[in-house]
Amino acid sequence: MNKFQIEYELRSPWIARLDHLEHRMWIEQKDSNACWMGKASFHRLSNLQNNKLIQLATKNFEYRQSIFKNELDHHLKGWTTKWGFDKMRFAREKTTDCYFAFAASNALDHYSNVRIILTKAAILITVADDFFDMEGSLHDLQILADAVQRWDSNGLTGHSKKIFNALDDLVTDFAAKYLQYQGIDITNHVRDLWRETFMSWLTEATWSKTGCVPSMDEYLQTGMISIAAHTLVLPAACFLNPSLPNEIFKSFSYEYQTLTKLVMLICRLLNDTQSYQKEQEQGKLNSVLLHMRENPDVKIEDSVAYVKDIIDKKSKELLEHVLMDDLSDMPKSCKQLHLSIFKVFQMFFHSCNRFNTDTHIDILQDVQKAIYLPLAVQPSKPWKQQSFPQLPHHASSGLKKDYQLRINSRVASPFKQYHNSRINIVATHQISKPPLQVFAYNNKMASSIQIPLFAMYV
């Protein structure tokens, strides 16, 4: 392991890493020979096989890049422009950042619907949240929240109407695809998720604009919803295979599974640990500021540490629910999507607020690496065919087939003496009848031994 890898391992906890970027790093670090058969084993793959794996991984990465680029440039950016989100000066335009995070956290190319649903929802959540935080008056926000409760745009104008129309387009399109996919209409269930989310934003705006100070419990009950992690993960999970079970999505907006609640809580607290300074300047409250307010003797660093301790404990509980079969009724694919959302928030808010690209240019670099920049991999040298002495007639006749065998001396001890003597090894065997018969030749003699069929063919 080189210096770069050591620094990376120490700097970046695995839960804040995105799979797609991890794949790129290991492909570009191919000289480290990271392709082990197992951490408990000292047998590494041969250079030839490592090169073959690198070539395959490179093709796979480039294929996924082409899919991601097409989805982002030809579908999602156009959707953002269609609804004018890129022209709303108060709102953060996060199309690229949102798509990058979801695509890189779960790089399965056949889940296009999942990535697009997640990204559109995240774009809308960002714009609407900014509208509630910075743009709309309390009266405007009440009118918009009421329109969402009725699911009727009558009375809306300007930004409010654009936000509602985009929301209606998103939910209608989602429900139509799911109806075609599963034959079930879940329009009202998904609307309920968004109704709940908009009401949580209105509650927090009311606290901020009226000077009301909630208790920690009141804040967390609302904040778990306003972070909108469940509004992202639950509809998207319906398009997994297997999808979210019917009994789970029918409970949208009034009862969530423990795993979903953990994601909601952790994502809220992660956001709070990186946004408390900005929110303090704006006269808002979050869990860090509320803890300090309820404990006047503690410093701000102590309150941050208190919230991070909760995050650590709840994160361990979340991983138990993801990895253990008897703690949740969700299919493994749905658990993994919950974990993916958790990793996205960890990536954005683990050590700083990376969602603010104005001050953290490194997120732009990661976007380029994930979607646009080609891999920095030197082409492997072609493998030259080795020449072997001619086998005796009795070894190459009948039903037997010749193989060239590459044997690492650490795989099986009987080969150490031959390896040290630099003996060329040629294997012949009858395909259906193990063990493998090996003939070893040097300049003076020929001998044969038998080995099991776990030897590696190249």
Side-chain angles (χ1 to χ4, degrees):
M1 184 175 287
N2 58 35
K3 180 180 179 182
F4 167 80
Q5 291 169 313
I6 293 173
E7 291 175 349
Y8 176 75
E9 292 292 333
L10 294 175
R11 180 179 69 251
S12 307
W14 74 270
I15 201 62
R17 303 175 193 175
L18 303 184
D19 296 352
H20 186 57
L21 290 178
E22 283 282 286
H23 297 166
R24 182 183 183 114
M25 184 194 72
W26 286 112
I27 292 171
E28 294 181 336
Q29 293 290 318
K30 67 184 181 73
D31 292 336
S32 65
N33 198 0
C35 298
W36 291 52
M37 291 182 67
K39 289 188 176 180
S41 169
F42 49 76
H43 172 222
R44 295 173 186 248
L45 298 181
S46 67
N47 288 335
L48 172 63
Q49 288 167 327
N50 193 37
N51 286 338
K52 287 183 176 179
L53 288 175
I54 292 298
Q55 292 171 16
L56 181 61
T58 299
K59 293 294 184 183
N60 182 50
F61 188 91
E62 292 170 346
Y63 173 65
R64 283 188 272 124
Q65 269 192 320
S66 67
I67 292 175
F68 296 163
K69 186 175 184 298
N70 180 66
E71 290 176 355
L72 176 59
D73 292 346
H74 296 168
H75 295 282
L76 292 165
K77 289 184 178 178
W79 190 81
T80 297
T81 302
K82 173 184 176 181
W83 298 108
F85 293 152
D86 55 336
K87 299 295 192 296
M88 297 180 179
R89 295 183 178 180
F90 66 87
R92 294 166 292 174
E93 202 287 283
K94 294 292 182 179
T95 302
T96 299
D97 290 4
C98 292
Y99 178 80
F100 149 74
F102 297 129
S105 65
N106 195 342
L108 297 176
D109 54 272
H110 54 279
Y111 282 148
S112 178
N113 273 337
V114 173
R115 289 191 296 273
I116 290 175
I117 289 168
L118 284 170
T119 305
K120 286 183 178 180
I123 295 167
L124 184 56
I125 287 167
T126 303
V127 172
D129 185 54
D130 288 347
F131 182 70
F132 274 81
D133 280 349
M134 297 180 291
E135 181 69 12
S137 66
L138 187 56
H139 177 68
D140 293 335
L141 303 182
Q142 289 170 338
I143 291 176
L144 175 56
D146 180 65
V148 174
Q149 299 306 304
R150 296 181 287 107
W151 212 266
D152 185 346
S153 63
N154 286 335
L156 296 179
T157 59
H159 296 315
S160 295
K161 188 169 185 177
K162 288 182 180 179
I163 291 171
F164 179 88
N165 288 340
L167 174 61
D168 183 55
D169 174 79
L170 174 63
V171 173
T172 300
D173 181 61
F174 167 84
K177 288 180 178 177
Y178 191 77
L179 181 63
Q180 183 180 13
Y181 177 57
Q182 293 283 14
I184 301 173
D185 185 2
I186 60 172
T187 303
N188 287 331
H189 300 303
V190 181
R191 285 180 177 179
D192 285 344
L193 278 176
W194 286 99
R195 288 175 175 129
E196 183 184 47
T197 302
F198 271 76
M199 286 306 299
S200 70
W201 291 332
L202 178 61
T203 299
E204 290 183 341
T206 302
W207 289 341
S208 175
K209 295 179 184 299
T210 63
C212 178
V213 179
S215 66
M216 180 68 85
D217 288 342
E218 289 174 326
Y219 169 78
L220 289 179
Q221 287 177 5
T222 300
M224 287 172 59
I225 298 169
S226 67
I227 198 64
H230 65 312
T231 314
L232 292 169
V233 70
L234 293 176
C238 293
F239 283 93
L240 296 173
N241 186 19
S243 66
L244 198 68
N246 292 355
E247 60 272 13
I248 294 180
F249 69 66
K250 286 181 179 178
S251 66
F252 284 179
S253 81
Y254 63 87
E255 183 181 358
Y256 298 113
Q257 295 250 320
T258 301
L259 178 56
T260 303
K261 290 179 180 177
L262 286 168
V263 171
M264 295 163 69
L265 175 61
I266 296 169
C267 291
R268 165 47 63 197
L269 296 179
L270 281 168
N271 181 279
D272 286 358
T273 60
Q274 301 301 332
S275 63
Y276 68 87
Q277 291 175 322
K278 177 182 177 182
E279 292 182 339
Q280 188 175 35
E281 294 172 358
Q282 295 175 344
K284 301 175 184 177
L285 293 171
N286 68 19
S287 57
V288 172
L289 301 174
L290 281 172
H291 179 264
M292 191 170 65
R293 187 184 184 95
E294 294 176 357
N295 299 271
D297 296 333
V298 303
K299 299 180 180 179
I300 189 68
E301 296 83 3
D302 299 323
S303 293
V304 172
Y306 170 80
V307 174
K308 287 186 175 181
D309 184 59
I310 297 175
I311 292 173
D312 289 341
K313 292 177 181 177
K314 294 299 181 180
S315 296
K316 292 176 183 177
E317 189 177 345
L318 180 145
L319 291 175
E320 289 179 355
H321 279 77
V322 169
L323 300 175
M324 297 179 67
D325 293 335
D326 58 344
L327 292 182
S328 174
D329 296 332
M330 286 188 184
K332 184 176 180 179
S333 57
C334 297
K335 293 180 181 180
Q336 290 296 326
L337 187 60
H338 279 72
L339 179 62
S340 176
I341 299 299
F342 171 52
K343 291 178 71 173
V344 166
F345 275 82
Q346 284 278 1
M347 182 273 295
F348 277 130
F349 301 112
H350 172 72
S351 58
C352 59
N353 189 347
R354 297 186 77 204
F355 202 57
N356 184 1
T357 55
D358 294 336
T359 57
H360 292 93
I361 197 66
D362 58 330
I363 195 73
L364 299 178
Q365 296 172 344
D366 283 348
V367 168
Q368 292 296 315
K369 288 180 180 179
I371 301 175
Y372 297 107
L373 293 179
L375 286 163
V377 178
Q378 295 296 325
S380 301
K381 295 181 180 179
W383 181 58
K384 294 183 178 180
Q385 178 75 25
Q386 294 185 9
S387 61
F388 294 97
Q390 181 67 34
L391 284 175
H393 177 73
H394 74 274
S396 59
S397 61
L399 298 175
K400 296 182 179 181
K401 185 177 180 181
D402 295 346
Y403 287 89
Q404 294 171 358
L405 184 65
R406 188 181 185 90
I407 300 177
N408 187 309
S409 63
R410 289 174 288 189
V411 177
S413 58
F415 289 106
K416 287 184 178 179
Q417 56 182 314
Y418 300 113
H419 176 79
N420 293 336
S421 301
R422 297 184 179 178
I423 296 175
N424 291 324
I425 296 175
V426 177
T428 68
H429 74 100
Q430 191 171 350
I431 296 175
S432 61
K433 295 181 179 180
L436 187 67
Q437 188 76 15
V438 175
F439 292 86
Y441 290 86
N442 62 14
N443 294 330
K444 298 180 180 181
M445 62 171 288
S447 61
S448 67
I449 56 175
Q450 291 183 338
I451 62 172
L453 287 180
F454 65 73
M456 193 178 304
Y457 293 104
V458 297

